[in-house]
Amino acid sequence: MENKMQLTDERLTKLHQIEGQLESAPVGKLYVWGTATTAQMITSFVTKNSGLSVSAYVVDDAWFREGTFLDKPIIKASDFLQTVTEHDWVIFGFTGSERAKEMEKKLPSFLRTVYFSFPYSANVDGTWLDLAFYEQYKERFESTKATLFDNTSKQVMDAFIKACMTGNTEELDGFLTEGQYFNELTSSCKPGCFVDCGAYIGDTIECAADFLGDRLNKVIAFEPDPDNLEKLKERMKKLGIGAEKLKLLQKGSYDEAATLRFSSSDSSSGISEDGDVVIETDSVDHAAEGMGEITFIKMDVEGSEQKSLLGAADTVKKYRPILAVCVYHKPEDLFALPELIRNLTEDKNYRYYLKYHGPDLRELVFYAIPQ
């Protein structure tokens, strides 16, 4: 990894350029497009690192509701476009670089816009893998990289860390690959039971059925969100995965049976002390009872991967399944989760890989493949 002198946070550089331009044109205003958690994080970033203040928040007409956000006005897009000037700036306060590019095409050509690439964790609690965090845990990052089996995985890790610290995803995007969870690494999966921790609406199970074919003997699905669960059930019916083959749990995967609070927000739901829903949890070890050989475990549980892995410890040690675990939800995931997986698979003859399925600094997956 390059040293600090060779790394520049391009988000800060751009923010200071905006600050300079707005200071030279006092009539100009700063707007943020969006009113979700990302917009809140962007506002915090602007306030902390500049003397700028957001004038108002813009939302698409379909989402407009009268009111304020962070004590500033909310204005609908159609009204905004009638008043915006060439001196104004808009920061896209949502996650999705492709969406930002498409929106730019529809906005007035004179309007100045910017999209900042932040890691997923920044949009959750405002923390992310920055230079200070990397320096603090450098030895653990490097130790994890040393255990990766191939050079490409090591390059992916370096590129991801660099993108988190600098906001420049160009190098990382060069490693973006399709086939999340189901690719050449997992093609050797034996017949058995597939465990989906964070099943959402069943899209991953559908991919598993297509990829594994007759090797998909049974399925265990964890999904605590009731709306997602109903869609998942309908999908399983269409796939012909019936009750004799499917164990569907309206629970979150964890290290124990418990009652916790859960934040429900479409595809980015997760366990949270401030959650709006109360959910039940259970462990993979308990759910796996009576389901035969477990040959593949996938985990994308919005930051609860560590607890979920601990709850799958006996299953991993007993069956030596393929593991595909998302390692981008928290700044420490990139070293802490691989460390835990290595402890669980010690002396089990595994190889470890890292793939980036992206985009936008998401879908970084650590693969543990039994040989």
Side-chain angles (χ1 to χ4, degrees):
M1 180 58 59
E2 300 175 68
N3 61 42
K4 287 185 179 181
M5 295 302 292
Q6 296 172 297
L7 292 175
T8 301
D9 189 336
E10 296 188 7
R11 294 161 299 213
L12 283 176
T13 300
K14 188 63 178 179
L15 179 62
H16 294 154
Q17 290 175 348
I18 295 171
E19 184 176 26
Q21 291 176 13
L22 287 177
E23 286 178 350
S24 63
V27 295
K29 296 179 180 180
L30 178 65
Y31 298 90
V32 171
W33 198 298
T35 55
T37 54
T38 303
Q40 185 172 354
M41 186 276 297
I42 290 290
T43 302
S44 177
F45 176 75
V46 169
T47 302
K48 179 180 178 181
N49 296 289
S50 74
L52 296 174
S53 177
V54 177
S55 295
Y57 295 86
V58 185
V59 297
D60 296 345
D61 285 17
W63 299 104
F64 175 75
R65 299 291 185 275
E66 293 282 354
T68 61
F69 182 76
L70 301 179
D71 298 323
K72 294 296 177 69
I74 300 174
I75 56 180
K76 58 183 177 181
S78 57
D79 291 341
F80 168 72
L81 294 177
Q82 291 180 10
T83 59
V84 68
T85 74
E86 61 183 5
H87 302 293
D88 298 325
W89 272 93
V90 171
I91 300 176
F92 292 120
F94 51 76
T95 299
S97 56
E98 290 304 314
R99 177 187 172 192
K101 291 176 183 177
E102 288 301 312
M103 187 172 289
E104 281 182 330
K105 297 176 183 178
K106 302 175 183 179
L107 297 176
S109 57
F110 62 79
L111 181 59
R112 294 178 287 188
T113 62
V114 64
Y115 176 85
F116 291 136
S117 294
F118 281 96
Y120 176 92
S121 60
N123 303 288
V124 176
D125 61 8
T127 66
W128 70 88
L129 199 171
D130 57 10
L131 285 166
F133 188 88
Y134 174 75
E135 289 296 324
Q136 183 179 358
Y137 296 102
K138 184 175 181 178
E139 290 185 5
R140 295 176 72 179
F141 279 117
E142 290 300 313
S143 177
T144 293
K145 186 170 73 170
T147 66
L148 296 172
F149 183 74
D150 64 337
N151 192 52
T152 298
S153 295
K154 299 175 192 288
Q155 292 174 329
V156 168
M157 185 168 179
D158 278 344
F160 183 84
I161 293 172
K162 188 188 299 182
C164 288
M165 292 192 290
T166 66
N168 185 337
T169 66
E170 184 176 350
E171 180 180 343
L172 179 63
D173 289 341
F175 291 103
L176 196 151
T177 57
E178 297 181 351
Q180 184 170 352
Y181 311 127
F182 308 107
N183 48 59
E184 72 281 0
L185 295 180
T186 57
S187 61
S188 61
C189 182
K190 297 183 298 181
C193 180
F194 172 70
V195 181
D196 192 349
C197 299
Y200 186 41
I201 59 174
D203 49 341
T204 302
I205 298 174
E206 183 172 353
C207 290
D210 182 60
F211 185 79
L212 298 173
D214 293 339
R215 291 177 289 169
L216 185 67
N217 294 340
K218 292 185 178 182
V219 175
I220 299 172
F222 288 85
E223 179 49 56
D225 187 291
D227 293 333
N228 290 342
L229 193 72
E230 289 304 311
K231 295 175 183 177
L232 193 155
K233 290 178 180 177
E234 289 300 316
R235 201 166 199 151
M236 295 304 99
K237 288 181 182 179
K238 293 179 181 179
L239 291 174
I241 300 178
E244 75 287 349
K245 194 173 183 178
L246 174 68
K247 179 180 282 190
L248 186 58
L249 303 171
Q250 188 175 342
K251 297 180 178 182
S253 62
Y254 217 55
D255 63 341
E256 62 178 350
T259 301
L260 302 172
R261 300 199 71 83
F262 181 80
S263 176
S264 177
S265 58
D266 194 34
S267 62
S268 296
S269 303
I271 293 171
S272 169
E273 292 181 0
D274 301 321
D276 54 345
V277 179
V278 175
I279 69 161
E280 302 297 318
T281 66
D282 205 349
S283 68
V284 170
D285 288 341
H286 184 232
E289 294 176 3
M291 295 298 285
E293 184 175 4
I294 308 299
T295 55
F296 197 140
I297 300 176
K298 162 258 177 178
M299 288 186 178
D300 182 2
V301 285
E302 304 302 319
S304 295
E305 284 80 9
Q306 185 174 35
K307 290 287 190 180
S308 295
L309 282 166
L310 291 171
D314 292 342
T315 302
V316 172
K317 292 174 182 178
K318 180 178 180 179
Y319 294 115
R320 296 179 65 248
I322 289 172
L323 298 175
V325 180
C326 288
V327 291
Y328 65 91
H329 293 114
K330 297 179 179 178
E332 66 270 22
D333 280 353
L334 189 47
F335 59 79
L337 297 181
E339 288 173 353
L340 176 54
I341 291 171
R342 293 201 305 275
N343 288 336
L344 294 178
T345 58
E346 188 176 9
D347 299 326
K348 300 292 184 181
N349 193 19
Y350 271 76
R351 289 177 180 173
Y352 309 110
Y353 302 84
L354 194 66
K355 279 184 173 289
Y356 176 63
H357 302 291
D360 298 316
L361 291 171
R362 297 189 176 207
E363 313 310 335
L364 184 72
V365 180
F366 183 86
Y367 293 88
I369 309 298
Q371 300 304 299

